[in-house]
């Protein structure tokens, strides 16, 4: 265990969940605060290494727990051949929620899902609404295929505006996109499109500044790099689930409060798609936040504006609970 950074709550631990040891990273300033479980993206892209880049102020509002999911990060290194399916990871999540409720003596927890985590989170709250006090979707995925169509058209528009012949040739080489069914070829096309989107700052990229946040993390180990390199192989079944995911085909009724925080420059999970769907959902309480000049890594791109949205949510939900 490394130095606790003078925090009341600073815990790295492996917990035996659903047949394997899974990594949890806890940070907080008060045991009285609500417990927030952060569901990372990918699938396979653990975000526990990036907490120092955005989470400091959050810990005045919540005890924040990062979970390296089955097939990701430190959990993958500990269990290199235990690959996830959607049923396994949902059971993992349910068991972790029970563990956190008991550990912190809470009736419910707050769930925040980022990107792929928003798919997992949305699926979980539909199935187990009684376990969650409210849900926050960031880089919310509504329909993966629709997201890819919109993102493709946006980068195409910018390439034409810039008369970028080299990028145009790369886009043309991708051909028809996206295909309706997941395949190895689908994934290859997606990765090629991401490179073009990264060039035009339409999608998240591991640039030097973001990489430095990870390298400076108090929990960083070089094995974390190995886990990231293995992410695609270990999460193939979840990627297939993600490609076929479409909230529009499900009921738009939610039994708990729902909040979306989206980046105004996010074309990886386009904010326009999330907003259109959000306007149609029915929930006890809901609010949509659009953060200007923020991309897919919304909380890292504009940490202060993101915190203001999070603070408003936390304070209003606390007030509502006390009535």
């Amino acid at each position: 265990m490394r130095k606790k950074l003078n925090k009341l709550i600073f815990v790295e631990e492996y917990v035996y969940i659903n047949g394997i040891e899974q990594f949890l990273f806890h940070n907080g300033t008060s045991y009285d605060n609500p417990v927030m479980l952060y569901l990372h993206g990918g699938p396979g892209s653990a975000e526990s290494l990036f907490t120092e880049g955005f989470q400091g102020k959050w810990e005045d509002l919540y005890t924040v727990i990062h979970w390296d999911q089955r097939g990701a990060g430190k959990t993958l290194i500990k269990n290199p051949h235990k690959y996830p399916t959607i049923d396994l990871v949902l059971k993992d999540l349910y068991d972790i929620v029970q563990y956190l409720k008991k550990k912190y003596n809470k009736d419910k927890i707050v769930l925040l899902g980022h990107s792929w985590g928003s798919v997992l989170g949305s699926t979980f709250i539909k199935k187990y609404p009684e376990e969650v006090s409210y849900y926050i979707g960031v880089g919310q995925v509504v329909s993966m295929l629709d997201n890819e169509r919109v993102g493709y058209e946006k980068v195409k528009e910018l390439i034409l505006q810039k008369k970028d012949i080299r990028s145009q040739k790369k886009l043309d080489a991708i051909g028809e996109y996206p295909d309706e069914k997941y395949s190895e070829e689908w994934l290859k096309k997606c990765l090629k499109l991401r490179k073009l989107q990264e060039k035009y700052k339409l999608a998240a990229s591991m640039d030097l500044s973001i990489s430095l946040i990870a390298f400076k993390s108090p929990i960083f180990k070089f094995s974390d790099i190995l886990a990231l390199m293995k992410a695609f192989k270990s999460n193939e079944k979840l990627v297939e689930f993600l490609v076929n995911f479409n909230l529009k085909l499900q009921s738009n009724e939610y039994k708990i409060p729902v909040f979306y925080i989206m980046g105004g420059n996010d074309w990886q999970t386009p904010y326009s798609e999330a907003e259109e769907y959000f306007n149609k959902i029915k929930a006890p309480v809901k609010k949509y936040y659009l953060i200007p000049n923020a991309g897919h890594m919304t909380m890292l791109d504009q940490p202060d504006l993101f915190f203001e949205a999070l603070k408003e949510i936390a304070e209003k939900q606390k007030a509502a609970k006390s009535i």
Side-chain angles (χ1 to χ4, degrees):
M1 184 80 60
R2 302 196 186 189
K3 187 179 178 182
K4 291 189 176 183
L5 303 182
N6 296 318
K7 294 181 183 181
L8 176 65
I9 302 169
F10 183 90
V11 177
E12 301 173 65
E13 64 172 349
Y14 286 92
V15 181
Y16 191 76
I17 295 289
N18 196 19
I20 64 171
E21 290 186 280
Q22 305 204 31
F23 179 78
L24 298 177
F25 183 35
H26 310 241
N27 286 272
T29 58
S30 171
Y31 287 101
D32 293 330
N33 283 340
V35 169
M36 172 190 282
L37 179 59
Y38 184 112
L39 303 178
H40 66 68
S45 301
E47 295 171 43
S48 52
L49 296 175
F50 302 111
T51 57
E52 296 300 306
F54 63 85
Q55 192 177 285
K57 292 182 180 178
W58 296 24
E59 294 162 21
D60 293 330
L61 306 174
Y62 302 98
T63 299
V64 186
I65 294 89
H66 285 258
W67 162 42
D68 287 11
Q69 298 164 26
R70 183 185 295 256
K74 298 178 188 299
T75 299
L76 175 59
I77 294 301
K78 196 82 166 178
N79 309 274
H81 305 296
K82 300 294 184 180
Y83 294 170
T85 64
I86 187 59
D87 290 337
L88 273 174
V89 81
L90 280 170
K91 179 64 165 60
D92 293 344
L93 175 52
Y94 180 84
D95 288 353
I96 286 170
V97 169
Q98 305 314 307
Y99 171 77
L100 294 176
K101 284 165 54 180
K102 184 177 181 180
K103 182 179 180 70
Y104 290 101
N105 192 27
K106 305 294 183 183
D107 294 327
K108 299 180 179 182
I109 68 161
V110 177
L111 210 55
L112 184 148
H114 176 233
S115 195
W116 151 254
S118 74
V119 173
L120 182 57
S122 297
T123 303
F124 186 84
I125 63 173
K126 291 272 191 174
K127 191 172 184 179
Y128 303 109
E130 69 282 357
E131 302 294 334
V132 180
S133 52
Y134 55 94
Y135 168 73
I136 302 170
V138 183
Q140 177 70 45
V141 178
V142 175
S143 163
M144 181 67 174
L145 290 178
D146 287 347
N147 282 354
E148 293 304 303
R149 291 187 190 99
V150 172
Y152 178 94
E153 291 300 323
K154 184 63 178 180
V155 77
K156 180 180 179 180
E157 173 190 327
L158 295 182
I159 287 171
L160 290 173
Q161 284 179 4
K162 295 287 186 180
K163 297 180 180 180
D164 184 350
I165 304 300
R166 187 175 181 181
S167 293
Q168 182 65 56
K169 288 181 179 179
K170 290 181 180 180
L171 192 67
D172 291 342
I174 293 173
E176 292 292 326
Y177 183 81
D179 300 330
E180 292 295 326
K181 291 186 178 180
Y182 174 76
S183 65
E184 188 174 330
E185 186 62 25
W186 192 102
L187 184 58
K188 288 179 181 178
K189 289 182 178 182
C190 180
L191 294 175
K192 288 177 181 178
L193 180 64
R194 286 291 180 273
K195 291 295 183 182
L196 293 172
Q197 289 174 326
E198 288 172 19
K199 178 180 178 180
Y200 282 88
K201 302 189 184 303
L202 303 176
S205 63
M206 281 291 291
D207 61 19
L208 180 59
S209 61
I210 292 179
S211 298
L212 284 175
I213 293 171
F215 293 148
K216 292 179 180 179
S217 168
I219 64 169
F220 173 76
K221 293 181 179 179
F222 283 104
S223 57
D224 295 317
I225 299 173
L226 179 61
L228 192 59
M229 292 170 63
K230 297 175 66 175
F232 277 119
K233 180 182 178 182
S234 61
N235 285 274
E236 188 172 5
K237 289 183 179 179
L238 290 188
V239 173
E240 185 173 358
F241 179 84
L242 172 60
V243 171
N244 294 318
F245 183 76
N246 191 345
L247 279 174
K248 299 174 189 176
L249 302 179
Q250 303 177 29
S251 168
N252 64 353
E253 294 190 7
Y254 291 81
K255 294 182 180 179
I256 64 172
V258 175
F259 306 93
Y260 284 3
I261 306 177
M262 303 294 296
N265 290 341
D266 186 358
W267 294 93
Q268 187 171 333
T269 53
Y271 66 89
S272 55
E273 290 293 298
E275 184 173 13
E276 181 181 351
Y277 169 76
F278 188 85
N279 288 336
K280 296 175 182 176
I281 72 172
K282 298 176 182 177
V285 178
K286 68 174 189 174
K287 188 165 181 179
Y288 179 92
Y289 296 85
L290 186 64
I291 307 297
N293 301 315
H296 190 57
M297 297 299 289
T298 318
M299 67 290 291
L300 278 171
D301 293 339
Q302 292 289 347
D304 291 337
L305 292 177
F306 192 99
F307 174 73
E308 289 304 316
L310 202 61
K311 184 179 179 182
E312 181 178 295
I313 293 169
E315 289 179 348
K316 288 187 175 181
Q317 289 303 295
K318 183 179 180 180
K321 188 177 181 180
S322 64
I323 293 175

